[in-house]
Amino acid sequence: MASDVIIKALKGIVGDSNASMSEAIRQAYSRDQNYMFNEPKQPGYVVRVTNKEEIRQILKVANDNKVPIIPLGQGVNIRGLCIPTRPGSILLDLKGMNTIKEINQDMMTATIEPGVSLGQLVAACRKKGVRPAVPGAPATCSAFANYMLRGVYHHNPQDGIDHVLSMEVELPTGQTIRTGSSAISTSYGPHCRYFGPDLTGLFMGVPGAFGVITEMTVKLYDLPERQELIGFGFDDWKRASEYAIDMMKLEIPSLLWLIDWIALAVIAGFSRRQIKLKTPKAALPVCTFALLLEGTEEDVELKLGKLEKLVKRAPPDQDLRDGALSTGMFNAEEFLGGRNVAGMLKMGYYFALAFFHPMSNGAEIFEMFKDIGEKHGFERDIVSFVSTPTKSGPNNWSGQLTYSEGELFVDQTEPGVIDNLKAFSKECIETILDRRYIYSWFRPYATVLDITLERAGETGDLLRKIKNLLDPNDIMNPGKFL
């Protein structure tokens, strides 16, 4: 179908002012922070929607004419997930669907639309005396999209990463799928994830590749009565990892980040020049613990007692409990709201390769990143690494599950740096898989997915069949997942 016919159909659904082929508007959606790995490309059309019926009609137009469609929540994205791979795609902007439909303190759930920002949800929940899961992302990000993609959350060591209970999904074939207890029209409500096979899980971790999720019910948590932010320093990553394992076995942390000196210097506000000259290195540990204890007064006192026994039995290399950690480096309040990313942005292009693995092999992976970085022209000291233990469920740390990422901050204007970064990324991915270091990738998209699916065998074949069943014309965000 000709583009003028498509735009006429789209305007007929959302109105003239909400559908556009203007190059200026399309350009705004053509790239994100990950442009080195995802070539900038303009969508053919940008459509702003405000309700589910508009989405259904747009999906029908797209499916009937085999036009790719890309859902976008808030557009705070650093992985290229909403950048078109095919010409003439429809960019479905969901920011106008920004209603918090319910905050239910009795059920400890919130029901939200795709355009609800993290800051909006946090503020609304605080008025009710509760909190949502807070990811390490800016307050402007879509809470909805982050939960759907499983973000990395401040409270990973306490709450884990699965916070979605049920959803409503519009498929390109015209069906409306409801998952969890929402699937039953006469159920008590959308507050339960379980109804036969876990269809909620089927639509998580998939960036708009199966359908458009239009509504989601998520878990809420109590606001802590008390918080204690504590810091320790370690001279090597292996000992820090062993200490983290001991802490998790004792169920001490609500939050625990293992942070190398580079990442800590970025957080602390050192300039790019100071970090390049390694000015902060002498003053900072190889690995710093940012440890947050939360709960009632009684809970926190119990955790402090456990921690004191651990410290007496095995003292850390540096005890930072004198407040050094919180003066300008961290603020406990940040862990209840959005992340401050100003320090990261001034460092240049931010690259991260993220994955899940057992905490016990973190030191080996840490050295691997540095070895490969050095091989591809990056100074060993500038290759960064951070980790946080991640619970599988309450009182359950199966497999020592840990989220980690190898990071690089680079000046993309330096000659050859883009090619070096791509070669570094590819070798890291292949080495991690070859050495069986990890359980899985944090978000297995683009280059990571291409390399990994070769090793997925019949499981990869099954994923492709599911994609073909739900999206037979392959219009849903093609190329981003399968």
Side-chain angles (χ1 to χ4, degrees):
M1 186 181 285
S3 59
D4 58 340
V5 179
I6 294 284
I7 191 66
K8 182 178 179 181
L10 296 174
K11 288 183 175 181
I13 296 167
V14 298
D16 289 353
S17 62
N18 288 317
S20 179
M21 292 181 65
S22 160
E23 183 165 358
I25 291 175
R26 292 187 294 122
Q27 181 65 20
Y29 295 87
S30 67
R31 61 182 281 168
D32 67 9
Q33 194 266 352
N34 207 38
Y35 64 90
M36 285 193 191
F37 292 86
N38 290 268
E39 181 184 354
K41 189 184 294 290
Q42 291 184 5
Y45 316 86
V46 173
V47 187
R48 294 185 290 268
V49 295
T50 57
N51 60 66
K52 297 174 187 177
E53 182 55 34
E54 290 176 346
I55 292 174
R56 293 187 192 105
Q57 292 182 46
I58 292 167
L59 282 172
K60 178 170 174 48
V61 170
N63 198 52
D64 287 349
N65 296 281
K66 299 184 180 178
V67 177
I69 190 162
I70 302 151
L72 176 143
Q74 281 287 348
V76 182
N77 191 333
I78 59 171
R79 292 291 181 268
L81 300 184
C82 299
I83 306 304
T85 57
R86 299 178 188 171
S89 299
I90 297 171
L91 192 294
L92 190 68
D93 187 330
L94 302 164
K95 289 195 284 288
M97 295 180 66
N98 59 359
T99 300
I100 299 173
K101 304 189 84 170
E102 181 186 47
I103 294 176
N104 190 321
Q105 301 116 288
D106 292 331
M107 297 294 111
M108 292 298 281
T109 63
T111 300
I112 59 177
E113 290 185 330
V116 171
S117 71
L118 173 62
Q120 179 186 354
L121 183 59
V122 167
C125 285
R126 282 198 186 185
K127 291 177 182 177
K128 304 279 188 177
V130 293
R131 68 165 176 87
V134 177
T140 52
C141 82
S142 165
F144 187 105
N146 195 281
Y147 296 146
M148 179 269 290
L149 292 171
R150 293 193 187 93
V152 53
Y153 301 93
H154 293 316
H155 291 78
N156 272 25
Q158 176 177 283
D159 302 335
I161 59 170
D162 273 319
H163 304 287
V164 183
L165 296 168
S166 60
M167 1 171 126
E168 188 170 313
V169 188
E170 300 298 333
L171 300 184
T173 49
Q175 296 110 317
T176 299
I177 302 297
R178 296 176 179 85
T179 73
S181 54
S182 292
I184 305 169
S185 61
T186 54
S187 80
Y188 189 84
H191 315 294
C192 175
R193 182 152 171 167
Y194 310 113
F195 172 65
D198 184 14
L199 292 182
T200 300
L202 176 64
F203 291 97
M204 291 182 65
V206 183
F210 290 169
V212 180
I213 306 170
T214 58
E215 188 174 302
M216 177 186 291
T217 297
V218 300
K219 300 175 186 176
L220 297 179
Y221 303 89
D222 289 321
L223 276 173
E225 184 177 309
R226 178 180 172 188
Q227 290 183 309
E228 291 287 340
L229 184 61
I230 295 168
F232 295 122
F234 296 89
D235 295 336
D236 68 81
W237 204 272
K238 188 173 188 301
R239 180 150 193 264
S241 298
E242 291 168 350
Y243 219 85
I245 291 170
D246 287 341
M247 281 192 179
M248 289 299 291
K249 286 179 179 177
L250 292 169
E251 297 183 0
I252 293 172
S254 296
L255 169 148
L256 175 58
W257 276 100
L258 285 67
I259 307 170
D260 78 347
W261 78 265
I262 307 155
L264 187 60
V266 172
I267 293 167
F270 285 92
S271 70
R272 179 178 178 81
R273 175 177 168 76
Q274 287 174 312
I275 292 172
K276 197 169 183 178
L277 293 172
K278 304 180 203 173
T279 305
K281 184 180 178 183
L284 298 175
V286 171
C287 178
T288 296
F289 271 23
L291 170 66
L292 188 69
L293 312 184
E294 285 187 346
T296 64
E297 289 286 344
E298 293 80 6
D299 291 337
V300 173
E301 284 298 326
L302 178 62
K303 290 177 180 180
L304 285 170
K306 291 180 182 180
L307 182 63
E308 192 59 40
K309 288 180 182 178
L310 175 61
V311 169
K312 284 182 179 178
R313 186 175 78 244
D317 296 320
Q318 294 184 45
D319 191 335
L320 306 175
R321 286 181 290 176
D322 60 359
L325 186 69
S326 59
T327 55
M329 292 189 183
F330 292 105
N331 184 338
E333 183 67 17
E334 181 175 315
F335 303 129
L336 294 177
R339 181 181 180 185
N340 183 351
V341 296
M344 292 173 60
L345 294 175
K346 71 182 181 184
M347 287 297 296
Y349 182 86
Y350 165 65
F351 168 85
L353 185 62
F355 45 87
F356 295 107
H357 67 102
M359 176 66 76
S360 54
N361 71 359
E364 195 174 347
I365 301 174
F366 176 67
E367 291 301 320
M368 178 218 75
F369 271 107
K370 291 184 175 292
D371 291 342
I372 296 175
E374 200 169 33
K375 176 181 174 181
H376 291 284
F378 299 105
E379 195 173 349
R380 190 177 188 86
D381 269 342
I382 301 301
V383 181
S384 182
F385 197 68
V386 297
S387 296
T388 179
T390 301
K391 278 199 174 176
S392 310
N395 304 315
N396 186 297
W397 193 42
S398 298
Q400 298 180 1
L401 186 66
T402 301
Y403 166 92
S404 292
E405 59 183 52
E407 301 176 335
L408 269 173
F409 298 95
V410 301
D411 181 352
Q412 62 269 45
T413 65
E414 291 181 3
V417 74
I418 295 176
D419 289 339
N420 290 347
L421 188 60
K422 288 180 177 178
F424 167 76
S425 174
K426 187 173 186 294
E427 185 168 348
C428 284
I429 293 166
E430 292 174 340
T431 303
I432 282 170
L433 291 171
D434 288 342
R435 295 184 186 176
R436 301 189 176 198
Y437 276 149
I438 68 169
Y439 294 123
S440 61
W441 302 105
F442 171 54
R443 289 178 179 166
Y445 310 131
T447 308
V448 173
L449 185 64
D450 293 340
I451 295 172
T452 306
L453 274 179
E454 298 170 1
R455 307 170 190 233
E458 292 180 350
T459 301
D461 294 338
L462 177 60
L463 286 172
R464 292 184 186 94
K465 289 177 181 177
I466 293 171
K467 165 74 168 170
N468 291 337
L469 175 66
L470 300 175
D471 180 22
N473 288 326
D474 191 25
I475 67 164
M476 296 306 308
N477 207 4
K480 300 302 179 181
F481 185 84
L482 304 175

